[in-house]
Amino acid sequence: MSPDIPEVPETSVNASDTAAPMHAPRGPGKIVEEIPASPRRLYPHIEPFESGMLDVGNGHNIYWERCGNPRGKPAVFLHGGPGGGCSPDHRRLFDPSKYCITLFDQRGCGRSLPHASLDHNTTWDLVDDIEALRTKFGYAQWLVFGGSWGSTLALAYAQAHVSRVSELVVRGIFTVRREELHWYYQKGASWLFPDRWEKFLAPIPLEERGDLMRAYQKRLTHRDESVRIEAARAWSMWEGSTITLLPDDQLAEAFGDPHYAIAFARIENHYFVHDGFLKPNQLIGGAHALRDVPGVIVQGRYDMATPARTAWELHKAWPEADFYWAPDAGHAFSEPTILHWLIEATDRFALED
């Protein structure tokens, strides 16, 4: 852990949360592994009924939007990356007649400003931003939904503000532990994608490949824009080309867009060289705080970006949540079986107060 990492908050209920409703004790959740015969699909396209920018201090303004039913069940969607931003399809994971869905672009990415900024950009800044939005909209509780890095942020937020979370839905579980990072950015996944790994290695000289995240950090913060963009595209396209079970060239190319890639790669790398601004094993170790929160974990069996071992360890630490394996999927939320179980979860929780 680098010396410039701020002190990590304890993952306990804040005193200010005590007025929120508390959860009833829960028993063990179910474990399901099957391919649905008729997989659910995204809800139809919708547009926000309200959007704006929220000044969260230190020069950051985050874009937010609300979609669906203004009087519906509150939910917040936490996108991946960090640095990925929200897309219109993320709105479609919820029944718009039953949910009031808040989406926001995290610091430095998407429509938030300043673009690709690393200053005052940590996990705990983002947790504070989620709370600022909840307070802005006057919700006592809301359903929290996050995939990939969004699952990291959802777990961090829920453990810090457990009484503000009515339900928790997480997918493609990632907790930013050193072994998870090394699997994807140093060794491990490269054995399955040697051709794509060569493209990831290309910007880095041989003598710097012993610590690829640090080598990329040097280039992603370089004064020369062309150096930054070359590194950003290589970093971003590595992820875009490996997150689905079957190749999706269109997705990989989208990750290579320079404007998208520079925020995505810079912010991801910034978080990862700092171990997500988390204590070792913090999110798995703190999962006991979630034992009474209704929850769903969805995991692709063949996820190469966030391998299934982490999701299984979260299940062991939080057995009260329902666990859904997608036996024909990798990492992307758009893969049919993953998408099916996510929409099943949001539909089920829409019926709960």
Side-chain angles (χ1 to χ4, degrees):
M1 189 76 73
S2 299
D4 56 341
I5 297 177
E7 184 176 351
V8 177
E10 294 296 327
T11 52
S12 59
V13 179
N14 280 3
S16 61
D17 288 349
T18 56
M22 298 304 290
H23 302 287
R26 302 180 63 81
K30 59 187 175 183
I31 302 175
V32 176
E33 181 170 11
E34 63 182 70
I35 300 172
S38 300
R40 302 289 305 277
R41 297 188 179 185
L42 291 169
Y43 279 97
H45 283 283
I46 54 173
E47 293 295 326
F49 65 80
E50 183 182 24
S51 64
M53 302 291 287
L54 179 65
D55 184 345
V56 291
N58 294 305
H60 282 279
N61 286 270
I62 59 170
Y63 170 84
W64 59 266
E65 62 183 40
R66 292 203 293 168
C67 309
N69 180 353
R71 292 175 292 280
K73 180 185 180 77
V76 61
F77 177 86
L78 307 178
H79 67 69
C86 290
S87 78
D89 278 351
H90 295 148
R91 306 166 185 161
R92 304 172 61 196
L93 290 158
F94 306 82
D95 184 338
S97 70
K98 296 177 180 176
Y99 278 97
C100 184
I101 313 138
T102 299
L103 302 93
F104 73 101
D105 292 334
Q106 295 160 26
R107 296 187 182 205
C109 67
R111 292 147 290 189
S112 294
L113 298 171
H115 185 68
S117 173
L118 306 181
D119 295 332
H120 300 282
N121 196 341
T122 75
T123 302
W124 303 106
D125 291 314
L126 302 184
V127 166
D128 288 345
D129 294 346
I130 299 169
E131 268 296 272
L133 287 167
R134 183 192 63 78
T135 301
K136 174 180 174 62
F137 299 127
Y139 299 140
Q141 289 188 311
W142 52 4
L143 179 148
V144 178
F145 183 119
S148 191
W149 159 256
S151 76
T152 315
L153 186 55
L155 291 167
Y157 174 79
Q159 290 177 26
H161 299 282
V162 65
S163 67
R164 298 303 184 184
V165 179
S166 58
E167 298 90 13
L168 182 61
V169 179
V170 286
R171 182 271 309 168
I173 309 305
F174 178 49
T175 63
V176 207
R177 294 177 297 181
R178 184 56 37 173
E179 58 266 33
E180 297 172 59
L181 295 169
H182 276 207
W183 160 266
Y184 201 49
Y185 294 106
Q186 192 65 46
K187 58 183 179 180
S190 62
W191 286 78
L192 291 100
F193 304 104
D195 50 341
R196 298 168 196 173
W197 184 250
E198 284 187 4
K199 295 177 182 178
F200 179 70
L201 292 178
I204 310 301
L206 185 63
E207 62 271 18
E208 294 185 52
R209 293 180 182 177
D211 188 341
L212 288 166
M213 288 191 296
R214 290 287 180 186
Y216 262 99
Q217 182 188 39
K218 184 191 302 184
R219 287 154 181 82
L220 290 167
T221 57
H222 199 278
R223 67 178 66 183
D224 186 332
E225 182 182 29
S226 65
V227 172
R228 296 197 302 271
I229 290 175
E230 179 192 21
R233 293 189 76 250
W235 176 286
S236 186
M237 291 182 72
W238 162 245
E239 183 160 335
S241 65
T242 56
I243 59 173
T244 53
L245 182 61
L246 299 177
D248 186 336
D249 292 338
Q250 186 175 358
L251 180 63
E253 286 301 317
F255 271 69
D257 173 77
H259 182 78
Y260 176 87
I262 198 70
F264 183 80
R266 273 171 57 87
I267 296 172
E268 273 203 339
N269 177 269
H270 166 69
Y271 273 70
F272 296 168
V273 297
H274 291 99
D275 298 318
F277 303 94
L278 297 163
K279 294 177 181 177
N281 206 44
Q282 179 173 351
L283 298 181
I284 301 295
H288 60 85
L290 309 174
R291 63 190 320 161
D292 298 328
V293 177
V296 167
I297 301 166
V298 179
Q299 179 67 34
R301 173 69 78 175
Y302 300 106
D303 187 335
M304 293 296 106
T306 60
R309 176 177 171 179
T310 299
W312 188 247
E313 290 176 358
L314 177 62
H315 158 70
K316 301 293 282 186
W318 182 30
E320 295 82 7
D322 292 338
F323 190 106
Y324 292 90
W325 288 108
D328 59 345
H331 181 71
F333 86 94
S334 56
E335 293 178 270
T337 300
I338 292 177
L339 183 61
H340 173 86
W341 293 124
L342 292 175
I343 293 178
E344 285 283 303
T346 59
D347 277 4
R348 170 156 57 97
F349 290 141
L351 303 176
E352 299 186 12
D353 293 332

